[in-house]
Amino acid sequence: MTRLRLTCLYGGGFMMAGTALLAVVHLLAVQAVSRGNDPVFELRSESAIVLAPAGCPEPSDRGRAPCPAPVPQQPQDTLVASTALVLAALVPLSAAAGYVTAGYALSPLRRMTHSARRAFSESP
């Protein structure tokens, strides 16, 4: 019963960490697919620094650059499907890692219990 509880605790921790890592990688991949190799910002003009999205014309009177609003692109279905597949594979892997970790955590307790039972059975 204790090993089951520890397995759930450790497995949940592994699952949350794996999900967070997968979410970060997925967001970076979606951003890379939508933006491509375009630089995020360009520095223009030596006297004044103007931060503007790459590819926009230079502003005429130090105002905002007249850039069209970016059109949000939907990520490809294959990216979403592969992320879901990895997330589905993460569930049993997290449970297995939690089971093994719970075994390592309970190992000293098993040794102490075994030694105490052996000492108690050998006493007169």
Side-chain angles (χ1 to χ4, degrees), residues 6-114:
L6 283 176
T7 298
C8 291
L9 181 70
Y10 290 133
F14 286 128
M15 185 69 187
M16 287 188 330
T19 302
L21 182 64
L22 184 64
V24 168
V25 170
H26 178 74
L27 290 176
L28 289 174
V30 167
Q31 182 181 12
V33 167
S34 66
R35 186 174 291 155
N37 288 335
D38 294 338
V40 177
F41 293 110
E42 282 183 0
L43 295 176
R44 300 181 183 157
S45 164
E46 284 101 54
S47 62
I49 296 176
V50 177
L51 293 177
C56 289
E58 195 162 327
S60 58
D61 57 356
R62 295 184 187 238
R64 293 190 65 201
C67 292
V71 178
Q73 296 178 351
Q74 295 296 328
Q76 298 175 355
D77 290 337
T78 56
L79 184 62
V80 174
S82 63
T83 302
L85 182 66
V86 170
L87 192 60
L90 189 62
V91 172
L93 290 174
S94 300
Y99 184 79
V100 170
T101 306
Y104 282 128
L106 291 175
S107 176
L109 183 61
R110 273 191 230 114
R111 277 191 308 234
M112 287 186 282
T113 304
H114 179 70

